[in-house]
Amino acid sequence: MKITDIRLGMLRVPLKTAFKTALRTVNSTEDVVIIVETDSGNTGYGAAPATAVITGDIHGSIIEAIRTVIKPRLLGQDIADLNHIIRLIQGSIMKNYSAKAAVEMAVYDLFAQLYKAPLYKILGGGVPKITTDLTISVDYIDKMVADSLSAIDRGFETLKVKVGKDIGVDIERVKAIYAAVEGKALIRLDANQGWTAKEAVYALHKLEDAGVRLELVEQPVKAYDLEGLKYITERVHTPVMADESSFGPREVIELIKMRAADIINIKLMKTGGIANAIKIADICSFYDMQCMIGCMLEGSISVAAAVHVAVAKSDVITKIDLDGPSLCAFDPVTSSVSFNDADITIADAPGLGITAIEGLEMLA
Ligand SMILES: C[C@H](N)C(=O)N[C@@H](CCC(=O)O)C(=O)O
Ligand SMILES: [Mg+2]
């Protein structure tokens, strides 16, 4: 099975409601979709959103990195040589993790198709059913409480509450949501780098003292501020998770050595794809550290790839934040992964099992 062509398209899907974090506000998912064709007639799919504020990637850079750098190296490659192709992708260009992730997942899709098995089985097997949280965007307190209650009505049992704005209002936001959902849902916070280390310790102590039980707090401080992350981890009971501070295996090893965080958030758009995501899961497993698998604001093609990884690495990936498709108004993709609000399941089809994508605009 040899690669004969790589084509690109754009897939845009409106959200149910605006997605608001400390870093940005977005109203739709906009993914670069990659289609890898082979001489056997098999097609592999991948996708990547442009999360400039986190990865530095924009649509133009993703498209150009794939078109001008990665594609020429991959044409003619035999899908059976998976590790060789992964090395070609990862060594083709510095950074550009979203572009690498999109191409790599399409290659993994084809590799699993070669052996006629769902991707998660090729990655090690597991039970093809996981449960995701839902993100509650940072907003007025009443709106966040209403959104949290509506998420519970939809069946979500874990809410990822976005904070990281004004520290005083953030404390009130979390107290109000906790009072409304206590006993009905678990709360995890994501400050998206919005606090200083001292603010984070102050806020978390206030919440802990008020009896607010949080599952974890994600990325309270700036991505580069590993000392700040460590300062918080050493001072609060709430487990601290590194998101923007950990991209690939190197950063994860550094965070573990420093004891700067309790949990790592793995995202394919930060790792540059599946191979590094698996390496991180294995490193964390070795050090008895738990992981979350998360997504950017992205649609169901790339999130499906993360679902396969989550199932295969469920021993160490114990927390799931794969709510991109649940935030969308509809899912234009038909695949073997079904996103039913909190419940995500994989049916028995080869690879990622993608059979149709409605509304895909092909790029010239
Ligand atoms: C969508 C997911 N729940 C999420 O919050 N992901 C990121 C933010 C990604 C983005 O801005 O696109 C996170 O910080 O965890
Ligand atoms: Mg985060």
Side-chain angles (χ1 to χ4, degrees):
M1 191 189 281
K2 291 203 171 136
I3 297 175
T4 51
D5 199 7
I6 295 181
R7 297 186 298 132
L8 296 169
M10 287 299 301
L11 187 61
R12 297 181 176 86
V13 184
L15 300 182
K16 288 193 171 89
T17 176
F19 176 79
K20 299 182 187 177
T21 73
L23 294 172
R24 64 185 193 138
T25 297
V26 198
N27 289 296
S28 59
T29 57
E30 297 190 349
D31 294 342
V32 176
V33 176
I34 172 165
I35 301 172
V36 178
E37 288 169 354
T38 61
D39 59 1
S40 58
N42 294 69
T43 305
Y45 294 94
T51 322
V53 287
I54 297 177
T55 61
D57 300 319
I58 58 173
H59 290 126
S61 66
I62 295 170
I63 291 165
E64 283 308 299
I66 295 174
R67 207 180 248 161
T68 60
V69 181
I70 305 177
K71 174 176 171 178
R73 285 168 172 76
L74 262 48
L75 291 179
Q77 292 297 325
D78 188 343
I79 289 296
D81 292 334
L82 177 68
N83 287 342
H84 173 64
I85 299 179
I86 290 169
R87 278 193 295 275
L88 287 180
I89 296 168
Q90 299 302 329
S92 63
I93 185 168
M94 288 293 291
K95 300 184 185 281
N96 286 279
Y97 300 115
S98 306
K100 289 173 182 168
V103 182
E104 226 207 37
M105 68 183 72
V107 170
Y108 268 97
D109 182 10
L110 287 164
F111 186 73
Q113 289 179 39
L114 181 64
Y115 294 102
K116 299 183 173 47
L119 179 57
Y120 75 90
K121 290 196 177 169
I122 296 289
L123 298 178
V127 179
K129 182 177 180 334
I130 57 174
T131 305
T132 182
D133 61 6
L134 189 74
T135 300
I136 305 298
S137 286
V138 61
D139 216 313
Y140 297 109
I141 296 178
D142 291 353
K143 166 100 169 68
M144 291 180 79
V145 170
D147 287 350
S148 301
L149 292 172
S150 125
I152 290 171
D153 284 345
R154 284 171 67 188
F156 289 95
E157 291 177 349
T158 305
L159 307 178
K160 167 153 154 162
V161 176
K162 293 287 187 181
V163 287
K165 303 290 246 187
D166 177 279
I167 195 84
V169 184
D170 279 343
I171 294 169
E172 295 314 314
R173 286 184 169 106
V174 180
K175 280 186 180 166
I177 294 170
Y178 188 76
V181 310
E182 189 181 357
K184 291 182 267 189
L186 206 60
I187 296 181
R188 45 181 73 146
L189 300 185
D190 188 357
N192 283 108
Q193 313 178 55
W195 294 335
T196 65
K198 285 192 176 171
E199 281 176 338
V201 170
Y202 170 79
L204 292 166
H205 281 166
K206 280 262 178 219
L207 291 168
E208 287 168 1
D209 293 348
V212 174
R213 291 171 67 88
L214 299 170
E215 185 204 14
L216 57 89
V217 60
E218 183 174 338
Q219 198 63 46
V221 292
K222 295 271 183 257
Y224 60 77
D225 189 8
L226 303 192
E227 291 293 342
L229 211 53
K230 180 177 168 69
Y231 177 91
I232 304 162
T233 303
E234 284 172 345
R235 284 165 179 79
V236 301
H237 292 295
T238 307
V240 175
M241 181 159 73
D243 182 10
E244 289 94 321
S245 291
S246 70
F247 270 56
R250 267 180 220 285
E251 287 92 16
V252 171
I253 290 169
E254 180 66 11
L255 284 165
I256 293 173
K257 280 203 284 195
M258 285 179 66
R259 295 184 183 270
D262 302 295
I263 311 168
I264 300 294
N265 189 346
I266 302 172
K267 288 182 187 155
L268 299 184
M269 298 304 141
K270 296 187 298 168
T271 60
I274 293 173
N276 275 340
I278 288 169
K279 278 184 194 149
I280 293 175
D282 289 343
I283 291 165
C284 288
S285 169
F286 192 72
Y287 283 97
D288 284 328
M289 194 150 169
Q290 284 182 42
C291 298
M292 170 184 277
I293 192 154
C295 59
M296 301 299 182
L297 186 68
E298 58 192 279
S300 68
I301 297 175
S302 46
V303 176
V307 170
H308 282 265
V309 174
V311 165
K313 289 285 164 190
S314 60
D315 57 321
V316 58
I317 298 176
T318 55
K319 297 173 194 310
I320 311 287
D321 174 35
L322 295 179
D323 61 346
S326 301
L327 296 167
C328 289
F330 59 88
D331 188 355
V333 180
T334 309
S335 84
S336 55
V337 179
S338 303
F339 295 93
N340 284 312
D341 281 336
D343 297 328
I344 306 175
T345 51
I346 310 178
D348 208 11
L352 293 175
I354 293 171
T355 51
I357 306 173
E358 267 175 50
L360 179 64
E361 297 161 34
M362 292 310 295
L363 297 172

